[in-house]
Amino acid sequence: QVQLVQSGPEVKKPGASVKVSCKASGYLFTDKFIHWVRQAPGQGLEWMGWVNPHTGDTEYSQRFQGRVTMTRDTSVSTAYMELSRLGSDDTALYHCATQSWWCFDHWGQGSLVTVSS
Amino acid sequence: EIVLTQSPGTLSLSPGERATLSCRASQSVDSRYLAWYQQKPGQAPRLLISGTSSRSTGVPDRFSGSGSGTDFTLTISRLEPEDFAVYYCQQYGSSPPYTFGQGTKLEIK
């Protein structure tokens, strides 16, 4: 079965960067786009962007353009999301998810990123 | 940007009752591109319905989706205790291509 296992919690200072990983299993890694969706504490879901594991192509939400980088390493079936210039409003649970048609069919457990001085 | 507005914000019902959740879009959404998710505390979202009305594998048939244009509905015909959760609608469009509603919390009355 499809599984997405994400890296553990991170605590970062304002202005720093964070890199979250998402290891996929149970399917051919290059077959499905991987998206990143974040959820601030007690809030809703916000789409950040996607990476095509086959080509490395990406698309980012304009809200994060210039601050986010999504990459992948096909040798270890892992996608990465790096967010720079962190502020307190970046404190959130960051999920990876696979795309099926025009929605997200499998989700990682989430990686908590806390930004605090 | 297509904004999705879900109503009500919170819905208080009892097990066995029928739940009707609304998702209204600021512009017309292709029905192929409208999905619903369920999220329980401490868990990742779970895809329930895609393409407005197609249930995902393993989703009970008490869940159904309908709608077109700017108005979409998720109906739970007879609530079970495990159905109390937060529900999100999501659409695929343009700039940004993917947006979510703010969620409806379905709580036990």
Short mmCIF file of all heavy atoms in Angstrom, two decimals, chain B residues 5-8 11 13 17-24 34-39 46-56 59-68 71-79 83-90 103-106:
data_model
loop_
_atom_site.label_atom_id
_atom_site.label_comp_id
_atom_site.label_asym_id
_atom_site.label_seq_id
_atom_site.Cartn_x
_atom_site.Cartn_y
_atom_site.Cartn_z
N THR B 5 -16.04 28.74 -0.06
CA THR B 5 -16.62 29.10 1.23
C THR B 5 -17.51 27.95 1.70
O THR B 5 -18.49 27.60 1.01
CB THR B 5 -17.44 30.39 1.13
OG1 THR B 5 -16.58 31.45 0.66
CG2 THR B 5 -18.02 30.78 2.49
N GLN B 6 -17.17 27.38 2.83
CA GLN B 6 -17.93 26.26 3.36
C GLN B 6 -18.90 26.73 4.43
O GLN B 6 -18.60 27.62 5.22
CB GLN B 6 -17.00 25.19 3.94
CG GLN B 6 -16.15 24.50 2.88
CD GLN B 6 -15.33 23.37 3.44
OE1 GLN B 6 -14.10 23.38 3.36
NE2 GLN B 6 -16.01 22.37 4.01
N SER B 7 -20.06 26.12 4.45
CA SER B 7 -21.04 26.43 5.49
C SER B 7 -21.79 25.17 5.89
O SER B 7 -21.96 24.25 5.06
CB SER B 7 -22.00 27.51 5.00
OG SER B 7 -22.72 27.07 3.86
N PRO B 8 -22.24 25.10 7.15
CA PRO B 8 -21.89 26.07 8.19
C PRO B 8 -20.46 25.86 8.68
O PRO B 8 -19.82 24.88 8.29
CB PRO B 8 -22.90 25.72 9.30
CG PRO B 8 -23.11 24.26 9.13
CD PRO B 8 -23.05 23.99 7.66
N LEU B 11 -21.35 22.28 12.58
CA LEU B 11 -22.65 21.62 12.46
C LEU B 11 -22.78 20.64 13.62
O LEU B 11 -21.94 19.74 13.76
CB LEU B 11 -22.73 20.90 11.11
CG LEU B 11 -24.03 20.22 10.72
CD1 LEU B 11 -25.19 21.22 10.72
CD2 LEU B 11 -23.88 19.57 9.35
N LEU B 13 -24.91 17.78 15.30
CA LEU B 13 -25.93 16.79 15.00
C LEU B 13 -25.73 15.57 15.88
O LEU B 13 -24.67 15.39 16.51
CB LEU B 13 -25.89 16.38 13.53
CG LEU B 13 -26.27 17.46 12.50
CD1 LEU B 13 -25.95 16.99 11.09
CD2 LEU B 13 -27.74 17.83 12.62
N GLU B 17 -28.57 11.03 12.46
CA GLU B 17 -29.13 12.14 11.68
C GLU B 17 -28.41 12.29 10.35
O GLU B 17 -27.36 11.71 10.11
CB GLU B 17 -29.05 13.45 12.47
CG GLU B 17 -29.98 13.49 13.67
CD GLU B 17 -30.10 14.89 14.27
OE1 GLU B 17 -29.09 15.37 14.83
OE2 GLU B 17 -31.19 15.49 14.18
N ARG B 18 -29.00 13.13 9.51
CA ARG B 18 -28.45 13.40 8.18
C ARG B 18 -27.67 14.71 8.24
O ARG B 18 -28.14 15.69 8.82
CB ARG B 18 -29.60 13.53 7.18
CG ARG B 18 -29.23 13.81 5.75
CD ARG B 18 -30.52 14.01 4.94
NE ARG B 18 -30.30 14.18 3.52
CZ ARG B 18 -30.26 13.18 2.66
NH1 ARG B 18 -30.42 11.93 3.08
NH2 ARG B 18 -30.08 13.41 1.38
N ALA B 19 -26.49 14.72 7.62
CA ALA B 19 -25.66 15.92 7.59
C ALA B 19 -25.55 16.42 6.17
O ALA B 19 -25.30 15.64 5.23
CB ALA B 19 -24.27 15.62 8.14
N THR B 20 -25.70 17.73 6.01
CA THR B 20 -25.56 18.36 4.70
C THR B 20 -24.56 19.49 4.82
O THR B 20 -24.79 20.47 5.54
CB THR B 20 -26.92 18.90 4.20
OG1 THR B 20 -27.86 17.82 4.15
CG2 THR B 20 -26.76 19.50 2.81
N LEU B 21 -23.42 19.35 4.14
CA LEU B 21 -22.34 20.32 4.19
C LEU B 21 -22.25 21.01 2.84
O LEU B 21 -22.27 20.34 1.79
CB LEU B 21 -21.01 19.64 4.51
CG LEU B 21 -20.78 19.16 5.95
CD1 LEU B 21 -21.72 18.02 6.33
CD2 LEU B 21 -19.33 18.74 6.13
N SER B 22 -22.09 22.33 2.86
CA SER B 22 -22.09 23.11 1.63
C SER B 22 -20.71 23.67 1.32
O SER B 22 -19.95 24.03 2.23
CB SER B 22 -23.09 24.27 1.77
OG SER B 22 -22.98 25.15 0.68
N CYS B 23 -20.40 23.76 0.05
CA CYS B 23 -19.16 24.37 -0.44
C CYS B 23 -19.53 25.24 -1.63
O CYS B 23 -20.02 24.73 -2.65
CB CYS B 23 -18.18 23.28 -0.85
SG CYS B 23 -16.63 23.85 -1.58
N ARG B 24 -19.33 26.53 -1.48
CA ARG B 24 -19.69 27.47 -2.53
C ARG B 24 -18.43 28.12 -3.09
O ARG B 24 -17.58 28.60 -2.33
CB ARG B 24 -20.64 28.52 -2.00
CG ARG B 24 -21.05 29.58 -3.02
CD ARG B 24 -22.31 30.29 -2.59
NE ARG B 24 -23.47 29.42 -2.67
CZ ARG B 24 -24.69 29.77 -2.30
NH1 ARG B 24 -24.91 30.97 -1.77
NH2 ARG B 24 -25.70 28.93 -2.41
N LEU B 34 -13.62 18.93 -8.19
CA LEU B 34 -14.07 19.23 -6.84
C LEU B 34 -13.98 17.97 -5.99
O LEU B 34 -14.48 16.90 -6.36
CB LEU B 34 -15.51 19.74 -6.88
CG LEU B 34 -16.10 20.47 -5.66
CD1 LEU B 34 -16.40 19.55 -4.49
CD2 LEU B 34 -15.17 21.60 -5.18
N ALA B 35 -13.30 18.09 -4.85
CA ALA B 35 -13.08 16.94 -3.96
C ALA B 35 -13.44 17.30 -2.52
O ALA B 35 -13.51 18.49 -2.16
CB ALA B 35 -11.62 16.49 -4.03
N TRP B 36 -13.65 16.26 -1.73
CA TRP B 36 -13.95 16.42 -0.29
C TRP B 36 -13.00 15.54 0.52
O TRP B 36 -12.70 14.40 0.13
CB TRP B 36 -15.39 16.01 0.01
CG TRP B 36 -16.45 16.91 -0.52
CD1 TRP B 36 -17.08 16.83 -1.73
CD2 TRP B 36 -17.03 18.04 0.17
NE1 TRP B 36 -18.02 17.84 -1.84
CE2 TRP B 36 -18.01 18.58 -0.69
CE3 TRP B 36 -16.82 18.63 1.41
CZ2 TRP B 36 -18.79 19.71 -0.34
CZ3 TRP B 36 -17.59 19.73 1.76
CH2 TRP B 36 -18.55 20.26 0.89
N TYR B 37 -12.58 16.08 1.68
CA TYR B 37 -11.71 15.37 2.59
C TYR B 37 -12.31 15.38 3.99
O TYR B 37 -13.01 16.31 4.38
CB TYR B 37 -10.33 16.04 2.67
CG TYR B 37 -9.62 16.12 1.34
CD1 TYR B 37 -9.90 17.13 0.44
CD2 TYR B 37 -8.66 15.17 0.99
CE1 TYR B 37 -9.26 17.19 -0.79
CE2 TYR B 37 -8.01 15.23 -0.24
CZ TYR B 37 -8.32 16.25 -1.12
OH TYR B 37 -7.69 16.30 -2.33
N GLN B 38 -11.95 14.37 4.75
CA GLN B 38 -12.30 14.27 6.15
C GLN B 38 -11.00 14.31 6.96
O GLN B 38 -10.02 13.64 6.60
CB GLN B 38 -13.01 12.93 6.42
CG GLN B 38 -13.33 12.65 7.87
CD GLN B 38 -13.73 11.19 8.06
OE1 GLN B 38 -12.94 10.28 7.92
NE2 GLN B 38 -15.01 10.97 8.39
N GLN B 39 -10.99 15.10 8.03
CA GLN B 39 -9.82 15.12 8.89
C GLN B 39 -10.23 14.98 10.35
O GLN B 39 -11.04 15.77 10.85
CB GLN B 39 -9.00 16.41 8.71
CG GLN B 39 -7.69 16.38 9.47
CD GLN B 39 -6.83 17.61 9.26
OE1 GLN B 39 -7.32 18.71 9.08
NE2 GLN B 39 -5.52 17.43 9.28
N ARG B 46 -8.12 12.75 4.81
CA ARG B 46 -8.43 11.53 4.06
C ARG B 46 -9.33 11.91 2.90
O ARG B 46 -10.36 12.57 3.10
CB ARG B 46 -9.14 10.54 4.97
CG ARG B 46 -9.69 9.28 4.28
CD ARG B 46 -10.69 8.59 5.19
NE ARG B 46 -11.27 7.39 4.59
CZ ARG B 46 -12.37 6.79 5.04
NH1 ARG B 46 -13.00 7.26 6.11
NH2 ARG B 46 -12.82 5.70 4.46
N LEU B 47 -8.96 11.51 1.68
CA LEU B 47 -9.79 11.79 0.52
C LEU B 47 -11.07 10.95 0.59
O LEU B 47 -11.01 9.72 0.65
CB LEU B 47 -9.02 11.48 -0.77
CG LEU B 47 -9.79 11.67 -2.08
CD1 LEU B 47 -10.17 13.13 -2.28
CD2 LEU B 47 -8.96 11.16 -3.26
N LEU B 48 -12.21 11.63 0.57
CA LEU B 48 -13.50 10.93 0.59
C LEU B 48 -14.10 10.82 -0.81
O LEU B 48 -14.55 9.76 -1.22
CB LEU B 48 -14.50 11.69 1.46
CG LEU B 48 -14.29 11.76 2.96
CD1 LEU B 48 -15.39 12.63 3.59
CD2 LEU B 48 -14.27 10.36 3.56
N ILE B 49 -14.13 11.98 -1.49
CA ILE B 49 -14.85 12.08 -2.76
C ILE B 49 -14.04 12.92 -3.72
O ILE B 49 -13.50 13.96 -3.35
CB ILE B 49 -16.24 12.70 -2.53
CG1 ILE B 49 -17.14 11.67 -1.86
CG2 ILE B 49 -16.86 13.20 -3.84
CD1 ILE B 49 -18.52 12.16 -1.50
N SER B 50 -13.94 12.46 -4.95
CA SER B 50 -13.31 13.21 -6.02
C SER B 50 -14.30 13.38 -7.16
O SER B 50 -15.31 12.65 -7.22
CB SER B 50 -12.04 12.52 -6.50
OG SER B 50 -12.35 11.22 -6.99
N GLY B 51 -14.00 14.31 -8.05
CA GLY B 51 -14.89 14.51 -9.18
C GLY B 51 -16.33 14.75 -8.77
O GLY B 51 -17.25 14.24 -9.41
N THR B 52 -16.51 15.50 -7.69
CA THR B 52 -17.81 15.88 -7.13
C THR B 52 -18.57 14.74 -6.46
O THR B 52 -19.17 14.94 -5.40
CB THR B 52 -18.71 16.53 -8.20
OG1 THR B 52 -18.12 17.77 -8.62
CG2 THR B 52 -20.11 16.81 -7.67
N SER B 53 -18.54 13.53 -7.06
CA SER B 53 -19.44 12.50 -6.55
C SER B 53 -18.86 11.09 -6.50
O SER B 53 -19.57 10.15 -6.12
CB SER B 53 -20.71 12.47 -7.41
OG SER B 53 -20.37 12.21 -8.77
N SER B 54 -17.57 10.92 -6.83
CA SER B 54 -16.98 9.57 -6.83
C SER B 54 -16.33 9.27 -5.49
O SER B 54 -15.36 9.92 -5.12
CB SER B 54 -15.95 9.46 -7.95
OG SER B 54 -16.55 9.61 -9.20
N ARG B 55 -16.86 8.29 -4.80
CA ARG B 55 -16.29 7.90 -3.51
C ARG B 55 -14.96 7.19 -3.69
O ARG B 55 -14.79 6.36 -4.59
CB ARG B 55 -17.26 6.99 -2.74
CG ARG B 55 -18.39 7.70 -2.03
CD ARG B 55 -19.16 6.72 -1.15
NE ARG B 55 -19.69 5.62 -1.92
CZ ARG B 55 -20.84 5.65 -2.59
NH1 ARG B 55 -21.57 6.75 -2.55
NH2 ARG B 55 -21.24 4.60 -3.28
N SER B 56 -14.03 7.50 -2.78
CA SER B 56 -12.75 6.79 -2.79
C SER B 56 -12.95 5.38 -2.26
O SER B 56 -13.95 5.07 -1.59
CB SER B 56 -11.74 7.52 -1.91
OG SER B 56 -11.41 8.76 -2.47
N VAL B 59 -14.66 4.14 1.25
CA VAL B 59 -15.56 5.14 1.85
C VAL B 59 -16.98 4.60 1.84
O VAL B 59 -17.49 4.19 0.78
CB VAL B 59 -15.47 6.47 1.07
CG1 VAL B 59 -16.50 7.47 1.61
CG2 VAL B 59 -14.06 7.03 1.16
N PRO B 60 -17.64 4.59 3.00
CA PRO B 60 -19.00 4.03 3.07
C PRO B 60 -19.98 4.78 2.16
O PRO B 60 -19.83 5.98 1.93
CB PRO B 60 -19.38 4.22 4.54
CG PRO B 60 -18.08 4.38 5.26
CD PRO B 60 -17.15 5.04 4.31
N ASP B 61 -21.00 4.06 1.72
CA ASP B 61 -21.95 4.68 0.78
C ASP B 61 -22.93 5.64 1.46
O ASP B 61 -23.77 6.25 0.77
CB ASP B 61 -22.69 3.63 -0.03
CG ASP B 61 -23.49 2.68 0.82
OD1 ASP B 61 -23.60 2.91 2.05
OD2 ASP B 61 -24.03 1.70 0.27
N ARG B 62 -22.80 5.83 2.76
CA ARG B 62 -23.60 6.88 3.41
C ARG B 62 -23.05 8.28 3.06
O ARG B 62 -23.73 9.28 3.28
CB ARG B 62 -23.65 6.70 4.93
CG ARG B 62 -22.34 6.79 5.64
CD ARG B 62 -22.54 6.60 7.15
NE ARG B 62 -21.28 6.69 7.89
CZ ARG B 62 -20.47 5.67 8.10
NH1 ARG B 62 -20.79 4.46 7.63
NH2 ARG B 62 -19.33 5.82 8.77
N PHE B 63 -21.83 8.33 2.51
CA PHE B 63 -21.23 9.58 2.05
C PHE B 63 -21.57 9.76 0.57
O PHE B 63 -21.33 8.85 -0.24
CB PHE B 63 -19.71 9.58 2.20
CG PHE B 63 -19.24 9.65 3.63
CD1 PHE B 63 -19.06 8.49 4.37
CD2 PHE B 63 -18.97 10.87 4.23
CE1 PHE B 63 -18.62 8.54 5.68
CE2 PHE B 63 -18.53 10.94 5.54
CZ PHE B 63 -18.36 9.77 6.27
N SER B 64 -22.09 10.92 0.23
CA SER B 64 -22.35 11.20 -1.18
C SER B 64 -22.07 12.67 -1.47
O SER B 64 -22.22 13.53 -0.59
CB SER B 64 -23.79 10.85 -1.56
OG SER B 64 -24.71 11.66 -0.85
N GLY B 65 -21.65 12.92 -2.70
CA GLY B 65 -21.36 14.29 -3.12
C GLY B 65 -22.19 14.65 -4.33
O GLY B 65 -22.51 13.79 -5.16
N SER B 66 -22.52 15.92 -4.43
CA SER B 66 -23.31 16.39 -5.57
C SER B 66 -23.00 17.86 -5.82
O SER B 66 -22.31 18.51 -5.02
CB SER B 66 -24.80 16.20 -5.30
OG SER B 66 -25.21 16.99 -4.18
N GLY B 67 -23.55 18.36 -6.91
CA GLY B 67 -23.41 19.79 -7.20
C GLY B 67 -22.84 20.05 -8.57
O GLY B 67 -22.44 19.14 -9.31
N SER B 68 -22.79 21.33 -8.89
CA SER B 68 -22.22 21.79 -10.15
C SER B 68 -22.05 23.29 -10.09
O SER B 68 -22.63 23.95 -9.20
CB SER B 68 -23.12 21.41 -11.33
OG SER B 68 -24.36 22.09 -11.22
N ASP B 71 -21.95 25.59 -6.65
CA ASP B 71 -22.54 25.03 -5.43
C ASP B 71 -22.38 23.52 -5.36
O ASP B 71 -22.87 22.81 -6.25
CB ASP B 71 -24.02 25.41 -5.33
CG ASP B 71 -24.21 26.87 -5.04
OD1 ASP B 71 -23.75 27.32 -3.97
OD2 ASP B 71 -24.82 27.57 -5.87
N PHE B 72 -21.72 23.07 -4.32
CA PHE B 72 -21.44 21.65 -4.13
C PHE B 72 -21.83 21.24 -2.72
O PHE B 72 -21.79 22.06 -1.79
CB PHE B 72 -19.96 21.36 -4.39
CG PHE B 72 -19.55 21.67 -5.80
CD1 PHE B 72 -19.13 22.95 -6.16
CD2 PHE B 72 -19.61 20.69 -6.78
CE1 PHE B 72 -18.77 23.24 -7.46
CE2 PHE B 72 -19.25 20.97 -8.09
CZ PHE B 72 -18.85 22.25 -8.44
N THR B 73 -22.20 19.97 -2.57
CA THR B 73 -22.71 19.48 -1.29
C THR B 73 -22.14 18.11 -0.98
O THR B 73 -22.03 17.25 -1.86
CB THR B 73 -24.25 19.37 -1.34
OG1 THR B 73 -24.81 20.66 -1.61
CG2 THR B 73 -24.80 18.87 -0.01
N LEU B 74 -21.75 17.94 0.27
CA LEU B 74 -21.40 16.63 0.81
C LEU B 74 -22.53 16.23 1.76
O LEU B 74 -22.85 16.99 2.68
CB LEU B 74 -20.08 16.67 1.56
CG LEU B 74 -19.68 15.37 2.27
CD1 LEU B 74 -19.34 14.28 1.26
CD2 LEU B 74 -18.49 15.60 3.21
N THR B 75 -23.10 15.07 1.53
CA THR B 75 -24.19 14.58 2.38
C THR B 75 -23.77 13.28 3.05
O THR B 75 -23.20 12.40 2.41
CB THR B 75 -25.47 14.33 1.55
OG1 THR B 75 -25.85 15.54 0.89
CG2 THR B 75 -26.61 13.86 2.44
N ILE B 76 -24.01 13.23 4.35
CA ILE B 76 -23.81 11.98 5.09
C ILE B 76 -25.21 11.55 5.52
O ILE B 76 -25.86 12.24 6.32
CB ILE B 76 -22.89 12.17 6.31
CG1 ILE B 76 -21.61 12.91 5.89
CG2 ILE B 76 -22.54 10.83 6.94
CD1 ILE B 76 -20.73 13.35 7.04
N SER B 77 -25.66 10.44 4.98
CA SER B 77 -27.08 10.10 5.10
C SER B 77 -27.50 9.78 6.53
O SER B 77 -28.59 10.17 6.97
CB SER B 77 -27.43 8.93 4.17
OG SER B 77 -26.65 7.80 4.54
N ARG B 78 -26.66 9.05 7.23
CA ARG B 78 -27.00 8.64 8.59
C ARG B 78 -25.70 8.60 9.38
O ARG B 78 -24.86 7.73 9.18
CB ARG B 78 -27.66 7.26 8.54
CG ARG B 78 -28.29 6.80 9.82
CD ARG B 78 -29.02 5.46 9.60
NE ARG B 78 -29.39 4.87 10.88
CZ ARG B 78 -30.46 5.20 11.58
NH1 ARG B 78 -31.30 6.13 11.13
NH2 ARG B 78 -30.71 4.60 12.74
N LEU B 79 -25.53 9.59 10.26
CA LEU B 79 -24.25 9.77 10.93
C LEU B 79 -23.89 8.62 11.86
O LEU B 79 -24.72 8.15 12.66
CB LEU B 79 -24.26 11.08 11.72
CG LEU B 79 -24.14 12.35 10.88
CD1 LEU B 79 -24.52 13.58 11.71
CD2 LEU B 79 -22.73 12.49 10.32
N ASP B 83 -17.96 9.56 12.19
CA ASP B 83 -18.07 10.58 11.15
C ASP B 83 -17.84 11.99 11.68
O ASP B 83 -17.72 12.94 10.89
CB ASP B 83 -19.44 10.54 10.48
CG ASP B 83 -19.71 9.21 9.79
OD1 ASP B 83 -18.74 8.51 9.45
OD2 ASP B 83 -20.90 8.89 9.60
N PHE B 84 -17.78 12.13 13.00
CA PHE B 84 -17.62 13.48 13.55
C PHE B 84 -16.16 13.89 13.40
O PHE B 84 -15.25 13.27 13.95
CB PHE B 84 -18.12 13.51 15.00
CG PHE B 84 -19.61 13.33 15.07
CD1 PHE B 84 -20.16 12.07 15.20
CD2 PHE B 84 -20.45 14.42 14.94
CE1 PHE B 84 -21.54 11.89 15.22
CE2 PHE B 84 -21.84 14.25 14.97
CZ PHE B 84 -22.38 12.98 15.10
N ALA B 85 -15.96 14.94 12.62
CA ALA B 85 -14.63 15.34 12.16
C ALA B 85 -14.76 16.70 11.48
O ALA B 85 -15.84 17.30 11.46
CB ALA B 85 -14.08 14.31 11.18
N VAL B 86 -13.65 17.16 10.89
CA VAL B 86 -13.68 18.37 10.08
C VAL B 86 -13.65 17.95 8.61
O VAL B 86 -12.90 17.03 8.23
CB VAL B 86 -12.49 19.29 10.39
CG1 VAL B 86 -12.53 20.53 9.51
CG2 VAL B 86 -12.51 19.70 11.86
N TYR B 87 -14.45 18.61 7.80
CA TYR B 87 -14.54 18.30 6.38
C TYR B 87 -14.12 19.51 5.54
O TYR B 87 -14.52 20.64 5.83
CB TYR B 87 -15.97 17.88 6.02
CG TYR B 87 -16.34 16.56 6.65
CD1 TYR B 87 -16.82 16.49 7.96
CD2 TYR B 87 -16.18 15.37 5.94
CE1 TYR B 87 -17.12 15.27 8.54
CE2 TYR B 87 -16.48 14.15 6.52
CZ TYR B 87 -16.95 14.12 7.83
OH TYR B 87 -17.25 12.91 8.41
N TYR B 88 -13.30 19.23 4.54
CA TYR B 88 -12.81 20.28 3.64
C TYR B 88 -13.21 19.96 2.20
O TYR B 88 -13.08 18.80 1.77
CB TYR B 88 -11.28 20.39 3.68
CG TYR B 88 -10.72 20.83 5.01
CD1 TYR B 88 -10.27 19.90 5.95
CD2 TYR B 88 -10.59 22.19 5.32
CE1 TYR B 88 -9.73 20.30 7.16
CE2 TYR B 88 -10.06 22.60 6.54
CZ TYR B 88 -9.64 21.66 7.45
OH TYR B 88 -9.11 22.05 8.66
N CYS B 89 -13.61 20.99 1.48
CA CYS B 89 -13.72 20.84 0.03
C CYS B 89 -12.45 21.42 -0.60
O CYS B 89 -11.74 22.22 0.03
CB CYS B 89 -14.98 21.50 -0.53
SG CYS B 89 -15.18 23.26 -0.17
N GLN B 90 -12.17 21.00 -1.80
CA GLN B 90 -10.94 21.41 -2.50
C GLN B 90 -11.23 21.45 -3.99
O GLN B 90 -11.95 20.60 -4.52
CB GLN B 90 -9.81 20.43 -2.21
CG GLN B 90 -8.54 20.64 -3.03
CD GLN B 90 -8.33 19.55 -4.07
OE1 GLN B 90 -8.47 18.37 -3.78
NE2 GLN B 90 -7.98 19.95 -5.29
N GLY B 103 -13.23 24.75 5.89
CA GLY B 103 -13.61 23.59 6.70
C GLY B 103 -14.95 23.74 7.40
O GLY B 103 -15.36 24.85 7.75
N THR B 104 -15.63 22.63 7.58
CA THR B 104 -16.83 22.54 8.42
C THR B 104 -16.56 21.51 9.50
O THR B 104 -16.17 20.37 9.19
CB THR B 104 -18.07 22.10 7.61
OG1 THR B 104 -18.47 23.16 6.75
CG2 THR B 104 -19.23 21.73 8.54
N LYS B 105 -16.73 21.93 10.74
CA LYS B 105 -16.56 21.00 11.85
C LYS B 105 -17.90 20.35 12.15
O LYS B 105 -18.89 21.05 12.45
CB LYS B 105 -16.03 21.72 13.09
CG LYS B 105 -15.81 20.78 14.27
CD LYS B 105 -15.28 21.53 15.48
CE LYS B 105 -15.04 20.59 16.65
NZ LYS B 105 -14.54 21.30 17.84
N LEU B 106 -17.93 19.05 12.07
CA LEU B 106 -19.15 18.29 12.37
C LEU B 106 -18.97 17.71 13.78
O LEU B 106 -18.08 16.88 14.01
CB LEU B 106 -19.32 17.17 11.35
CG LEU B 106 -20.50 16.23 11.50
CD1 LEU B 106 -21.82 16.99 11.55
CD2 LEU B 106 -20.52 15.22 10.34
#
